[in-house]
Structure formats: structure tokens, C-alpha cells
Amino acid sequence: MRKLIAKLALATAVLGSGLGAAAADTANIWVRADGSNFMPRIVDAYNKAHTNQIKLDIIPNAEIIPKYGAAAAGGTAPDALSLDLIYTPSFAAAGQLEDITDWAKSLPYFASLSPAHVKTGTYKDHIYGLPFSADASVLIWNKKLFKQAGLDPEKGPANWAEIAADAEKVNALGGNIKGFYFSGNCGGCNIFTFTPLIWASGGDILSEDGSKATLDSPQLRGAIDLYRSMVKKDLVPAGAQTDTGANFFAAFAAGNIGISPSGAFAIGALNTQYPNVDYGVTFLPGKDGGWSSFAGGDNFVVTKGTKKLAVVKEFLDFAYSLEGQTILAKYGSLPVRGDIAKDALRELDPRYQVAAEAMAKGKTPYSVVFNDLINSANGPWTQMINEVFFGDDVDGAIANAQETMQSIIDQAPQK
Amino acid sequence: MTTITASTTAPPRARKLVGAGRRQWIGLIYVAPAVALVMVFFVIPLGMTAWMSLHNWPLMGEHAFIGLDNYWAILRDTRFWNALKFTGYYTVVVTIAIFAVAFPLAIFIEKPRPLTNLYRTFFFMPAVVGFASASLLWSWLLNVDSGLFSPAAYDLGLIDKKFNLLATFQPAFWSIIAMVVWKVAGFTMIILMTGLQSIPQDLQEAAVIDGAGPFARFRAITLPLMRRTLALALILSVAGSILAFDQFYIILRGGPRNQTLTAVYWIFNQSFVSFKLGYGAALSMVLLVILVALSLIQLWLLRKPEGLD
């Protein structure tokens, strides 16, 4: 009886709201947990303003890839998902994604979308992923500790020598206070915050197309020496050596660290959760100046063969609107549309502007085996950074990583 | 009428067979749920794993039959053999450590005396904590900056500089051994205690009357009569250690610098980090064969000697 009443009520509602409602469709999308702050708010705003609806599932970061693979194999994959942008090439190479080249290029603001995202979303000249959320890497410093150490609290370090000198002065305050922090056993954290130091100095760790490992550059060696010297001088807490990323942000947030490379996400997190920490944001500098940034965040990809393409496109179009980009910015991501980024950020902390500028010129290494090379806790990159920052055999570790990386790239199914 | 006559006059042997057949069917029905469970959760997945191991099976995209290629690749996979070597080393060390702690504890709590129940509960308690939870707890205790051991030693002035236990191989390895012994020894203790309690008291008393000292009694009575219990405890410990994963994943992530990668960790890595499911399945089959072989060897070594019992 209850079912019958429910059915009647539904039929009345559909008839009452006219034919438009009858044609309404629901698409299912997944997002990794990193997007759990902004994604539900964008989906809510979209659902309120549109007849078509989005059903959102939030999946833990570490599980989204295997879960999506299993769902795709079982024919229950969502219509679309927002995933760490670095996975886009390998997903596209697996033939799992819908080719959205024509639609993407027809967007009037296509040229303004984050170039690093579009690059990783492109596979063999076809577009399979478009930017959804963004995070740039920046350098943050504790103004209170700078002041106590006799440094100018309004001026962050602008080259490597200044990083080392400022960290040493802050460290001299003693007690629990340390000059510098980085997660020494986290591949993902260091590709995000360490490689920009190398890029800004003219070096790289992978060739442009991802087919060659280039760890034997003098710029990499120089950046390693900077970190090693700070470790040797005891400017870095002992826990950094084994930190797999759990303390990546928390160490600085505790207020005892002078300088730390971090991400734009830190601005929102510090403002809301640690309002007592007075901090500055600047670019990650090169050896003698200049700057660079990693372009992180998520790409939005569409599952091949979905029947809900129209809804998915409508949703993404909404997310790219000023309203969508403003929600995104307000709840923890940088805007991905360069042309309206300033407007989307207008109401927010001005320090976001530094991150937005970094994002516009951000860079993302391209590889179909990024996870194996970089993110894996047991991969060559993670192993190398831990050895070169804290171990004894720097040259051996670099040579070993270069060889292992190249062999993984060479054995990859498709390049 | 004829039929009834025929049935009532059927030879007793045939009737017996019908009865036995019926009983067999009833027996099969009784065990059917268990058989179904074993089929669904063991035999079928095992068959699927074996089938998968013969394929190039990526997480996404098409899979292709490649015969024994995955197995040939394992022969050249030095990381796997290194992981297996480390797993073997860990298994030997941790098993000795567990028995070294569990046996004295079992002897200590075997006989009822004041507070025995309290001791039993106290020693057994860590066994009820899941390995993942225990690993998380210990990873906090071992944390150099915010944990217990290193900061406490520093604050008490025992060390000049905080020492990161997880940064180099030896301290990291022994930290894991300590955690596993803390967690597992209580369980092994209970198994050994039941074995000790099953030894007839009059045998011990007779030996005392014959003048046998504690060591002689332990060697001549306790150990031989504990064979079955020891075999059970040993097989559980060895199988559990060869399949070790949680503590190495959660506390060390295979570090420092991949020196504590275990065999299962490498299988996990290949399957869910590199997304090579077929290769992961082949590695699992190899590990299964090793595990079965080791268990058989242990059973053979600890088989009941003739004439005892």
C-alpha cells in the first residue's frame, strides 16, 4: 500500500512539474576524499538550480583507483569522476575514458583552463580529462618566529641561500622551534614541493613527454645539497626522516616551524583551523631567484560509453561558471579557469592570489606510470629522496633511482 | 499386493544399503553449508587467482592470456626474492621471540594461584586488538616527535638528542618485533597453556618420585607430550609471519628505503600500486606453494613419534 501511494505521489509530481521534469536524468560521479569539502557544495548548488541531478560518492584517496578499476570491470563504474590529475594519462591509455576533445575545444574558455591539467588530460593528441580542482605549491613562513629571530616578518625567502639563512636564524631560537620542515619519506609531497626548486633553477626530473628520467641534472644535485645541509645543521625535526606525509601540513600548523614548502590548501586550513598562526605565502624559488610551482589537483574524466554524457557536461559547465569557481575557491581549491580566477578569489584571503599566480604557470610531470615512479612509497623517487636527504650515498642513490625509473618507463605498456 | 510383499521380503543387505545411502545424503546435507562456504570463499577464489595468474591483467582495460609468462617474470624479480628473504628472516626471528616470551608465560600462568586469572587476562589482552589498530597505536608510540618512547627518554635526560627509531633498519626492525611479540605472545601463551594442562599430573608426580629434576621433567615429559600443541602454535606463528603485512605497511611503509618489504607487501604493491593484477596473482600462487610446503615440513618434523600416547 505504501509503495502504491509513493508511486502515485511520484507520478503526480512528475505530471505536475511538466515534461521537463519527466526528462530529468541523474548522473553518478565520484570524487576522492581530498575534494570532500568543495565537491558536495558544488553538487548541491548544481542540483538546486537544475532539473538534471548529480549523485555524488566520496571515495577515500587511496581506494579510488582500485575501486574504479573494479567497478569498470564489473560494469558499475560511475558516469564520471574527479581524480588526481596525474592518473589521467594511464586511465586514458587503458581505454577507459570517453574522448571529449570536440566538446572541450568548443568551450569558449577552453584556452583559459589550467594548462597543466589539460596537458595531463591529453593522451595521443586527444583530450580525456579537464581540470576540476587545483592546488599550487608555495613556500610558507611563520611571521611570528621570523620576528623573534630578528628577520623581516613580511619578507619570505626568495632564493636557496635565503631559505637556508632564514631557517638557521629561526632555528637558533632553540627549544622545540625548528627552522625548516619537509616530509622526508613522502614521494607525493616532494614531487609537489621539492621539484619546483629544481624547475625554477632550470632542471627537471623527467623529459617533457615522460619518456626519459633526467635525475642526473646538476640542478637536482644542488637542491639536494640545500636540503642535506639543513638536515646536517639540525634545522629539520628528526621526525621528518620517516614522515610519509602525515605531518606534511601539521608540523607547520603547530607553530614551531620557521619555513615549510606546502600547498595552497594550507591557506584555507590555517585560516580556519589554526587562526593563531601568523604566516606569509611566497613562491618556491630557484637557486638564484625566479620561481616555479607544481600544478596539482584533480582532472574530471568521463567513463567511456556513459549514457549520461549530457548531464555530465551540464554539470562541468556549471562548475566552470563564476558561481562554481567561487564555491570551489571558497571551500579549498584554487579556481581552474584563469580568466575568472581573480573574480572567484576576490572575497577571499589575498594570499590566495600568490597561489593562483603560481598555478597559472604550474607544471605537472607527464607519465603513464606516475604512480610507480613517484607516488609509490616503495618506488624509486621516494626511495631516492629519503636516501639523498638523510643517507650517506647521494651519488649512488641518484644513479640507482635514475636506472630504476628508466626501466619502469621502458617497461610501461604504452608511452 | 505383490509389490508390498516384494518390499517387505527384500533381503536385509539391500535394506541396509538403502539406509546407509540415506544416511550419507543426510550427512552431506549437514556439511553442505560448510562445503559451500569453503567453495565460495576459498576454492573458487583460489581457482580464479590461478586463472588470473596466467594473464596479463591490468586494473583497467583488456586482459590477455599469456601462459606462464608471469611465472617466468617472477624468476627475474629480484625485489620479490629480496622481500621473500626478508620475510624468512623476520619469520625466524619473530617466531623464536614469540616462543621465548610465550612459553615462560604459559608455565607461569598454567597452575591456578592467586591472581592467575588477572595475569592471564593481562597477558592475553593485546591479542584481541586487530593488527591494523595495534600498528597504528605503535606507530604513534614510536613517533620521534610526538610519541612516547623517544620524547620521554629525552625529557628524562636519558638521551641528548631525540632518536628516530624507525629511520634505520635495525632499530626499526626490532621495534616491529617488539610490537608483534606484545600483540601475539598472549595468544600463543593460551595455546601452550592448554597443552601444558593436558599433560597427566601423575606422570609428573611419578617422575618426581623417581628423582627427576625440573629440567629432566621438562625434556622427558613436557616437551614430548606438547608436540601437537607446539606444532599448532608453530604453524600458526610461521604462517602468520610469512603473511605479515599490516605492521610493515602502517608503521614502516616498507622503509627505511625498502629494507622491510615483505612478500605480501610486494604482492600488494604489484597488484594495487602498479595495478598488475595478473602478476600479483602469480606471486600469490608462488607464496601459497611456499606456505603449504613449509607447513607440511613442520607437520612432518613435529609428527607424533611411534608408541607415544
Side-chain angles (χ1 to χ4, degrees):
Chain A
M1 187 63 189
R2 260 187 203 167
K3 271 187 184 169
L4 185 70
I5 292 171
K7 276 182 186 169
L8 280 172
L10 186 70
T12 317
V14 169
L15 285 173
S17 57
L19 281 173
D25 218 342
T26 301
N28 184 208
I29 59 174
W30 287 3
V31 65
R32 61 170 170 152
D34 275 359
S36 59
N37 205 15
F38 54 78
M39 194 58 139
R41 297 175 203 267
I42 294 182
V43 167
D44 279 350
Y46 169 84
N47 284 346
K48 273 185 196 145
H50 294 78
T51 318
N52 289 323
Q53 297 289 289
I54 294 291
K55 181 182 167 293
L56 176 70
D57 288 315
I58 297 168
I59 316 285
N61 283 354
E63 283 171 34
I64 192 162
I65 306 299
K67 206 172 155 83
Y68 182 75
T76 56
D79 299 295
L81 78 157
S82 164
L83 84 165
D84 191 336
L85 80 169
I86 55 100
Y87 288 111
T88 341
S90 59
F91 272 50
Q96 189 60 44
L97 305 180
E98 189 78 29
D99 182 348
I100 48 174
T101 311
D102 294 339
W103 175 59
K105 287 189 173 164
S106 74
L107 295 170
Y109 42 79
F110 177 68
S112 311
L113 293 174
S114 161
H117 283 71
V118 175
K119 187 186 161 200
T120 52
T122 306
Y123 177 70
K124 290 190 172 168
D125 297 328
H126 288 260
I127 296 171
Y128 294 91
L130 283 175
F132 194 84
S133 61
D135 202 355
S137 42
V138 290
L139 193 68
I140 51 181
W141 77 92
N142 186 316
K143 289 186 177 178
K144 187 178 143 204
L145 296 182
F146 263 50
K147 204 171 179 182
Q148 283 175 12
L151 294 161
D152 179 357
E154 299 306 322
K155 188 185 168 296
N159 56 46
W160 294 359
E162 284 181 22
I163 291 179
D166 291 357
E168 201 165 351
K169 282 199 172 152
V170 172
N171 204 69
L173 293 171
N176 281 331
I177 293 163
K178 287 285 175 188
F180 193 77
Y181 192 84
F182 63 96
S183 299
N185 202 21
C186 172
C189 312
N190 283 287
I191 194 75
F192 188 60
T193 55
F194 180 66
T195 42
L197 303 175
I198 302 162
W199 295 335
S201 313
D204 208 338
I205 61 154
L206 278 175
S207 64
E208 196 66 16
D209 62 353
S211 67
K212 290 271 173 286
T214 57
L215 295 176
D216 39 10
S217 71
Q219 289 89 349
L220 173 71
R221 184 60 208 240
I224 288 170
D225 289 342
L226 167 70
Y227 271 37
R228 275 182 79 82
S229 72
M230 288 195 284
V231 169
K232 205 165 249 176
K233 286 181 191 159
D234 219 9
L235 309 185
V236 182
Q241 188 170 357
T242 45
D243 180 10
T244 55
N247 229 8
F248 182 46
F249 165 72
F252 184 86
N256 299 323
I257 302 292
I259 306 166
S260 178
S262 191
F265 72 90
I267 302 172
L270 285 167
N271 290 353
T272 51
Q273 296 165 43
Y274 303 90
N276 294 331
V277 179
D278 189 12
Y279 66 98
V281 177
T282 187
F283 301 114
L284 284 164
K287 186 177 182 197
D288 305 311
W291 58 270
S292 187
S293 168
F294 188 95
D298 279 13
N299 262 342
F300 195 81
V301 298
V302 182
T303 302
K304 193 169 195 158
T306 175
K307 293 185 174 65
K308 310 289 171 64
L309 197 57
V311 188
V312 168
K313 285 177 178 174
E314 191 181 57
F315 171 70
L316 197 54
D317 221 12
F318 172 77
Y320 285 151
S321 68
L322 182 58
E323 185 185 353
Q325 292 291 289
T326 308
I327 296 172
L328 197 71
K330 196 170 169 190
Y331 293 103
S333 163
L334 290 170
V336 290
R337 257 185 76 178
D339 54 340
I340 55 170
K342 278 202 170 139
D343 293 332
L345 290 166
R346 196 180 322 145
E347 307 279 308
L348 301 179
D349 188 318
R351 285 171 285 204
Y352 273 113
Q353 299 291 351
V354 176
E357 201 182 324
M359 188 68 215
K361 278 205 266 175
K363 181 173 166 148
T364 315
Y366 184 94
S367 172
V368 291
V369 282
F370 193 94
N371 210 31
D372 273 338
L373 297 178
I374 308 291
N375 275 356
S376 165
N378 314 104
W381 171 252
T382 309
Q383 202 180 349
M384 183 197 81
I385 53 160
N386 195 255
E387 174 71 33
V388 298
F389 294 155
F390 301 97
D392 304 320
D393 185 9
V394 178
D395 293 326
I398 294 175
N400 188 24
Q402 165 73 22
E403 192 185 323
T404 316
M405 267 196 179
Q406 192 59 51
S407 80
I408 292 174
I409 294 169
D410 293 341
Q411 285 166 25
Q414 290 166 61
K415 287 188 264 295
Chain B
M1 189 66 194
T2 327
T3 325
I4 292 167
T5 314
S7 89
T8 48
T9 54
R13 192 166 169 267
R15 261 212 312 263
K16 213 174 172 181
L17 266 180
V18 170
R22 196 173 287 160
R23 276 200 298 278
Q24 270 182 355
W25 275 109
I26 291 170
L28 275 179
I29 290 167
Y30 280 137
V31 296
V35 172
L37 283 176
V38 172
M39 289 298 287
V40 170
F41 292 109
F42 182 69
V43 178
I44 295 174
L46 183 65
M48 284 167 69
T49 308
W51 175 241
M52 216 171 183
S53 74
L54 303 173
H55 289 74
N56 177 12
W57 198 305
L59 182 76
M60 278 174 292
E62 296 298 310
H63 47 260
F65 186 81
I66 52 165
L68 293 174
D69 282 8
N70 280 329
Y71 290 94
W72 298 133
I74 291 174
L75 293 177
R76 297 187 304 273
D77 187 347
T78 47
R79 296 283 287 277
F80 176 65
W81 296 111
N82 284 340
L84 207 58
K85 212 162 84 182
F86 170 71
T87 310
Y89 171 62
Y90 163 74
T91 301
V92 171
V93 172
V94 84
T95 302
I96 293 171
I98 288 170
F99 274 78
V101 174
F103 219 131
L105 285 181
I107 293 168
F108 176 67
I109 58 151
E110 180 217 342
K111 293 204 175 63
R113 28 180 125 97
L115 300 178
T116 299
N117 282 339
L118 193 71
Y119 287 129
R120 286 179 185 168
T121 312
F122 181 72
F123 296 142
F124 183 71
M125 235 158 29
V128 299
V129 183
F131 245 113
S133 318
S135 302
L136 279 172
L137 174 71
W138 275 72
S139 68
W140 168 73
L141 289 173
L142 296 165
N143 187 296
V144 59
D145 294 317
S146 56
L148 181 71
F149 302 138
S150 180
Y154 180 76
D155 291 341
L156 290 171
L158 300 175
I159 47 175
D160 295 340
K161 198 181 157 196
K162 284 182 190 169
F163 184 67
N164 193 340
L165 280 166
L166 305 179
T168 41
F169 177 73
Q170 288 295 346
F173 177 73
W174 289 102
S175 300
I176 295 282
I177 297 287
M179 176 260 168
V180 175
V181 169
W182 167 80
K183 162 134 179 54
V184 175
F187 180 71
T188 311
M189 169 197 82
I190 295 288
I191 296 176
L192 296 177
M193 184 192 81
T194 55
L196 285 171
Q197 286 175 338
S198 68
I199 297 172
Q201 200 53 39
D202 44 358
L203 271 182
Q204 298 278 15
E205 284 163 6
V208 173
I209 292 165
D210 288 346
F215 180 72
R217 289 205 305 274
F218 181 75
R219 193 179 55 80
I221 299 173
T222 310
L223 269 186
L225 291 177
M226 286 275 292
R227 272 174 183 268
R228 279 184 188 174
T229 315
L230 284 171
L232 172 69
L234 195 63
I235 286 174
L236 284 176
S237 173
V238 169
S241 311
I242 288 199
L243 297 176
F245 171 69
D246 311 39
Q247 62 273 37
F248 290 102
Y249 180 70
I250 293 172
I251 302 178
L252 297 177
R253 289 282 175 119
R257 292 158 217 156
N258 289 340
Q259 287 169 301
T260 60
L261 266 183
T262 65
V264 174
Y265 196 151
W266 186 240
I267 294 172
F268 167 83
N269 209 310
Q270 292 299 290
S271 305
F272 302 112
V273 178
S274 301
F275 307 132
K276 294 191 277 188
L277 300 183
Y279 187 63
L283 288 168
S284 306
M285 295 305 293
V286 170
L287 192 64
L288 176 75
V289 169
I290 292 171
L291 198 53
V292 169
L294 272 177
S295 299
L296 288 176
I297 291 170
Q298 288 173 80
L299 279 173
W300 179 74
L301 283 175
L302 289 162
R303 73 194 183 285
K304 200 170 65 170
E306 291 288 322
L308 206 85
D309 206 4

